[in-house]
Amino acid sequence: RRRHTRLRNVTGVQTCALPISIHAGAEAIAFVEALSRDYPDKMDVLERLVRSWNSEGNRLMTRGEVEEVARRYGQAVDGAERLLKNKPGDLATIRLLGTSYMNLGDVTGNPLFFNKGDRAGALTLYRRVEKLMRDAEASGLDIVPLQQLSKSLINQAAVAVAMNDVAGALITA
């Protein structure tokens, strides 16, 4: 067998794809960004781009490159918001936007991650996730992303504790 074709699952990542994605991440994103500029009405291209920005942010987070991570996650939020305007009520898009808000909140001020130290900004983003999920539930979607809702509440509590707001953390939890 050739070495690069073997698959080994390590904490959810296929290791054969990892070296390729690390070296080609910026080039691949640039390619998808160019596609998105050339075809601005293609929502599937925008969705791929949002997922790429989130993935690139995740990769950079492991290196502690906070400013670049925040930029990538910010791009993902902007793109996901555009997607939701074009696909209102679409559960996959709601989840993607929730994930993008959550990622940006993590790097903005969650003490459990490398972050910019803006605790209030992180709380705002986590509350957006909570509102998004509660609105999805109120609109009658059959399946509401409860995992994202619960993670949002947990992150709100973690940030409140970091802000010495134990009462706020208890109310959130």
Side-chain angles (χ1 to χ4, degrees):
R1 272 195 220 179
R2 292 189 318 223
R3 184 172 184 208
H4 69 280
T5 60
R6 284 199 321 226
L7 297 179
R8 189 175 299 158
N9 196 344
V10 178
T11 63
V13 176
Q14 291 180 350
T15 57
C16 73
L18 194 57
I20 294 167
S21 67
I22 288 174
H23 296 297
E27 292 169 6
I29 288 175
F31 176 76
V32 179
E33 285 173 336
L35 273 178
S36 184
R37 280 190 301 275
D38 292 343
Y39 303 98
D41 296 332
K42 293 280 193 184
M43 292 299 110
D44 57 331
V45 173
L46 180 58
E47 182 179 344
R48 178 69 263 162
L49 186 55
V50 170
R51 291 183 189 286
S52 297
W53 283 326
N54 275 319
S55 294
E56 180 71 359
N58 292 343
R59 184 183 70 77
L60 293 170
M61 181 69 97
T62 63
R63 296 181 182 182
E65 297 179 28
V66 174
E67 293 302 321
E68 185 61 18
V69 170
R71 187 175 79 80
R72 289 299 188 192
Y73 288 156
Q75 290 173 309
V77 164
D78 293 343
E81 287 175 341
R82 259 184 54 213
L83 269 175
L84 191 59
K85 286 179 185 171
N86 285 289
K87 298 169 144 187
D90 180 66
L91 184 59
T93 304
I94 290 169
R95 284 182 176 166
L96 185 58
L97 179 56
T99 298
S100 300
Y101 280 146
M102 194 80 67
N103 287 342
L104 187 56
D106 291 347
V107 75
T108 299
N110 189 326
L112 304 175
F113 299 93
F114 292 116
N115 69 79
K116 294 170 63 174
D118 181 2
R119 307 278 190 250
L123 276 176
T124 299
L125 289 159
Y126 294 142
R127 288 180 180 139
R128 284 184 191 170
V129 175
E130 179 183 2
K131 181 180 180 336
L132 188 67
M133 298 308 138
R134 293 197 189 278
D135 288 351
E137 182 179 36
S139 71
L141 282 178
D142 290 336
I143 302 171
V144 177
L146 294 176
Q147 181 181 9
Q148 284 185 314
L149 177 59
S150 62
K151 184 177 177 192
S152 167
L153 295 172
I154 290 167
N155 286 343
Q156 286 180 52
V159 172
V161 167
M163 296 172 72
N164 294 319
D165 181 11
V166 176
L170 292 174
I171 290 170
T172 300

